[in-house]
Structures are given as structure tokens and as C-alpha cells.
Amino acid sequence: MDGTNSEPGARGPQLLGRAAEHRRARPGPRAARHAAPALRDEKGALFRAHARYRADAHGELDLARAPALGGSFTGLEPMGLLWAMEPDRPFWRLIKRDVQTPFVVELEVLDGHEPDGGRQLAHAVHERHFMAPGVRRVPVREGRVRATLFLPPGFLCGLGPFPGIIDLFGIGGGLLEYRASLLAGKGFAVMALAYFKYDDLPKGADTLHLEYFEEAVNFLLGHPQVKGPGIGLLGTSKGAQLCLAMASFLKGITAAVIINGSMINTTGTLYYKEESLPPVGKNLERVRVTKDGFKDIIDILNIPLEGPDQKSMIPVERSDTTFLFLVGQDDHNWKSEFYAREASKRLQAHGKEKPQIICYPKTGHNIEPPFFPWSKATPNSHFDMPVILGGEPRAHAMAQVDAWQQLQTFFHKHLSGDKRPVPAKL
């Protein structure tokens, strides 16, 4: 996601650090410095962070070696100026909507430790790209399927076919492409799939039919640049829940990464042929209000281990898919760790492969690619105040780095047969 090779943060510390070094003023060694990045998203929201540093004996500031002494974060955090950014609009989440253009981060370094009024010593512009050179973006409007397919570099040179992945996001709807475009740069053919609130698709998710997702699976499997015999699924939140359902009911799915998903059906009824899964019951009286004035909805869903809500359970025991669950242990959207462990119990009780579960302490609901800023809370259409997402900024940022590595290693192993670990690049 940087200006060179689309790896999220691969050379960020060096680029930011060198910009400060090569364009620095020289007031003397050990001088106080104040660094402040700014990024404006496609809807005009401004994201900022700031940190105080002390230059080294040569008057230079290298973020890979200089700890932050205060500001938005403290300690040795080379990418802190990115993951610690906060929006100027309340509860605004940084989302990349047009992956064909970069995010532009402006960085200035000021003399002294005051955020305002210091003499500017350096200014640099850092572009964070979402499509590696050679990645091809292909809009898909095939039958009912509305999606965008990203093909890896080298497909025109005959290097394919490539392992295929369908990428699904949550209840916000629309078509988000940034994770798919980044993964395509890692050698995968990735299709970002919309399922409501996009183009001519339904406006809401009250009723969903797995036949639509089956059509998408068959399209991807039939693409000449996609290697069979099966594909991978990648989902977050409601998208992860749908990945579990797809892996349980549909054919042709080899591996699935479930990021903070639920093994029970929520929001609306899910249909497939003659079967249906009603939404699990909920009790709004279990909503709690935090001391900051946010709503905490983690306890509102019924636990469907017994009684009529059992009909909402996704029958994961039917699946022959290999699963990786990535869990934020402070997820306040729903009980992701509980659902992951219950899914594991059901799979093993029916003689299926034990899934891999990786839990991240102090990590909330939206586990994004590396260095996307943490979101404390978000507006929710069902409530009259923001809903808390959980997590703490630094722990959440570190979880995103590891999760990005883990899911790539998992897909390479199970879709390509490549068992080498993917190195984490900061």
C-alpha cells in the first residue's frame, strides 16, 4: 500500500524517515522535533496524527530508531504516524473506495515539540497505492453477479492460472475493493463481491439467497485465470458469516478465512434451495451504554445452543473446507471468539478437520489490512448513538499486521500448496 509495491507499509518508515532526513534543517544534535502526517479521504474527511521526537547526534530523525516521546502514541513505532491517525469527523472510518488512486499522506516535521507554531524543517508527500504494478482490475456483471475481479501481475505473460478468492465485507453493503486489490498483488485472483446496496442488487440484507453466492463461486471457478479445483473465501463481520454459510452449503470451496465472524445467522433470513436459516433472536434491553456515551451491543444476540434459536445455527459440520478464524478478543460487535470455538467444536464432533483459531488481545471488530487507523465506534442504523467496536489502537494495529501475514500464508498453503510463511513487512 505504499508508493512502490503496494505492500501495506512495506517501506513506510524508510520513506517517511528519509523524507525527514534528506530535507531537514540542521539546528543541532538532539534537537526537539514534531512530526505531523495528514491524509484526506475521498469524502473529504481529514485524518491526522502527531508525535514528538528528539533528533540523533547528527541532527537526523529516523523513525525506525527514534521513539516517540509523546503525542498520538509513544515508544518505537515506525508506522505509528499512520495507524494512530484520527478523523476530524466523529466516528469516521477510513475506507478506500477508488483503488485506482492512492491515498496521499502529507508529512511535515517542525522544530520543537509544540504542534503549532514551530518552524517547518521538512515537508514530504507519501503515496499509498492499492494496486501493484501489473494488477488488472476487471468489473464483473455476469448474470446476477456484481463484483470486481483483480488479476495478479504476470497474467498477460502466461504465469497463471492463479488461486482464486472471493472477498466479502459486512453490513455496510456496497462494493469495497481495497483488500482484494492488495491481495492480487500477492499472486491471488481475488473477486470483491457485492451482495446488497450496490447497482441493481437489493437495497437491504433482510433476505439473502445463497444461490447468488453460488453463482459467484461458479463464475470464479470457471474463469481461465483461476486455478481449481476449489477457491478460497475471505470475509469480515457479516461477510465472514456468509463465508461460513457458503462453505457449509456450497461446493468448490477449499479454504476460508473468517475475520470476526459469527456461526449464527443474523440480520435477516438466509435461504438456499429448500432450506432457510432465520435470524437469531435478540434482546435490545441487553444494550449497555458506556461511560463515553457509546452503545455496547455485544450481549444483545441470543446464544442459540438450545431452544428455538438453534434454527439460526449455520451447519458448519457439513463443510469440508479448511478454516482459519482470526479473532479480536475485544470485539464488541458480537462474541467472535465464542463463535469460533463453537464452530471448532461442531466440526471436530463430526470428524472434520480442526480449524486454526488465532486470537488477538485488545483487538476490536474491524481487522483491516496493516496500518488502517483503528475505529473506536461507528454509527449504526439500528441505534440512536454510535456503537462501540472494541480494541485499543496499538494492539489493534499490531493485530492487523499479523493477520495480513497469516491469511496470505494460509491461502498460499491451501490453494497453492506453498507452505512457506509470508514474511511480515512493516
Side-chain angles (χ1 to χ4, degrees):
M1 204 163 65
D2 67 31
T4 306
N5 60 5
S6 289
E7 171 71 350
R11 295 178 57 201
Q14 293 89 341
L15 288 174
L16 294 173
R18 288 172 187 163
E21 289 170 12
H22 292 319
R23 302 185 59 187
R24 66 186 183 277
R26 289 182 175 269
R30 308 296 181 189
R33 299 285 189 269
H34 187 269
L39 178 157
R40 193 173 294 278
D41 73 6
E42 291 139 321
K43 292 195 173 183
L46 184 64
F47 287 76
R48 291 181 180 272
H50 68 99
R52 299 189 296 274
Y53 297 93
R54 190 163 296 282
D56 65 17
H58 302 287
E60 297 180 353
L61 175 59
D62 183 346
L63 301 187
R65 294 182 295 173
L69 305 177
S72 302
F73 58 93
T74 59
L76 188 61
E77 299 290 347
M79 300 303 293
L81 290 173
L82 296 179
W83 61 250
M85 286 194 292
E86 298 181 3
D88 62 352
R89 302 179 185 181
F91 321 118
W92 194 260
R93 177 182 169 193
L94 183 62
I95 296 176
K96 191 71 179 83
R97 300 184 185 279
D98 180 5
V99 299
Q100 298 176 95
T101 62
F103 272 145
V104 177
V105 182
E106 293 195 26
L107 173 71
E108 62 176 1
V109 179
L110 306 176
D111 190 16
H113 275 169
E114 296 302 318
D116 299 309
R119 180 167 59 97
Q120 187 183 82
L121 303 178
H123 177 271
V125 175
H126 172 53
E127 293 187 346
R128 299 181 64 76
H129 289 259
F130 286 78
M131 289 179 64
V135 169
R136 183 184 177 195
R137 179 181 179 274
V138 184
V140 176
R141 191 182 175 92
E142 187 77 19
R144 292 177 296 173
V145 176
R146 303 293 178 263
T148 304
L149 176 63
F150 291 89
L151 296 174
F155 76 96
L156 290 176
C157 304
L159 296 182
F162 305 95
I165 299 171
I166 289 177
D167 186 21
L168 291 166
F169 276 87
I171 204 63
L175 181 59
L176 297 179
E177 302 178 353
Y178 58 90
R179 190 165 60 190
S181 64
L182 288 169
L183 279 175
K186 305 302 179 184
F188 302 102
V190 190
M191 188 165 75
L193 179 64
Y195 55 97
F196 79 103
K197 204 187 292 184
Y198 178 77
D199 198 57
D200 57 353
L201 294 175
K203 301 301 182 184
D206 293 339
T207 299
L208 293 173
H209 294 266
L210 279 179
E211 285 85 353
Y212 171 78
F213 300 90
E214 186 174 42
E215 192 174 334
V217 170
N218 292 335
F219 169 81
L220 193 60
L221 277 172
H223 195 282
Q225 290 296 328
V226 173
K227 178 183 0 181
I231 63 166
L233 302 177
L234 172 60
T236 297
S237 191
K238 178 67 175 181
Q241 179 190 117
L242 287 167
C243 288
L244 279 171
M246 293 167 69
S248 301
F249 287 99
L250 308 182
K251 304 293 184 183
I253 297 164
T254 299
V257 175
I258 309 300
I259 303 177
N260 283 334
S262 165
M263 65 168 292
I264 55 176
N265 185 47
T266 64
T267 308
T269 303
L270 182 64
Y271 294 93
Y272 183 62
K273 296 183 178 179
E274 303 301 319
E275 298 187 73
S276 64
L277 299 180
V280 69
K282 59 186 177 182
N283 183 350
L284 296 183
E285 292 184 0
R286 294 197 290 258
V287 174
R288 292 182 289 120
V289 179
T290 70
K291 62 182 180 180
D292 299 324
F294 304 125
K295 285 196 172 179
D296 188 341
I297 62 172
I298 190 170
D299 291 319
I300 67 169
L301 297 180
N302 295 341
I303 301 299
L305 300 183
E306 56 186 26
D309 282 314
Q310 289 185 84
K311 295 179 180 179
S312 301
M313 297 274 282
I314 296 170
V316 293
E317 65 275 7
R318 299 185 189 181
S319 179
D320 293 318
T321 299
T322 301
F323 291 103
L324 168 61
F325 289 85
L326 299 175
V327 173
Q329 288 186 307
D330 195 38
D331 182 0
H332 279 253
N333 190 77
W334 50 33
K335 298 179 179 180
S336 299
E337 183 176 4
F338 171 80
Y339 296 137
R341 299 203 184 281
E342 284 300 316
S344 178
K345 290 178 185 177
R346 288 180 72 112
L347 286 164
Q348 292 179 77
H350 289 79
K352 300 301 176 70
E353 180 182 358
K354 180 181 180 180
Q356 183 181 5
I357 301 175
I358 301 176
C359 295
Y360 297 104
K362 301 179 182 178
T363 298
H365 188 63
N366 288 329
I367 298 179
E368 300 271 30
F371 313 123
F372 271 74
W374 168 73
S375 299
K376 181 175 184 177
T378 186
N380 188 297
S381 59
H382 298 288
F383 302 99
D384 58 1
M385 63 177 68
V387 169
I388 193 168
L389 297 173
E392 297 178 6
R394 184 188 183 281
H396 196 94
M398 298 304 102
Q400 290 184 159
V401 172
D402 188 73
W404 187 246
Q405 173 194 1
Q406 295 286 354
L407 69 88
Q408 290 180 63
T409 299
F410 176 82
F411 280 135
H412 277 303
K413 176 181 177 180
H414 295 288
L415 299 180
S416 306
D418 185 351
K419 299 182 180 181
R420 293 173 296 175
V422 173
K425 296 182 180 180
L426 298 179

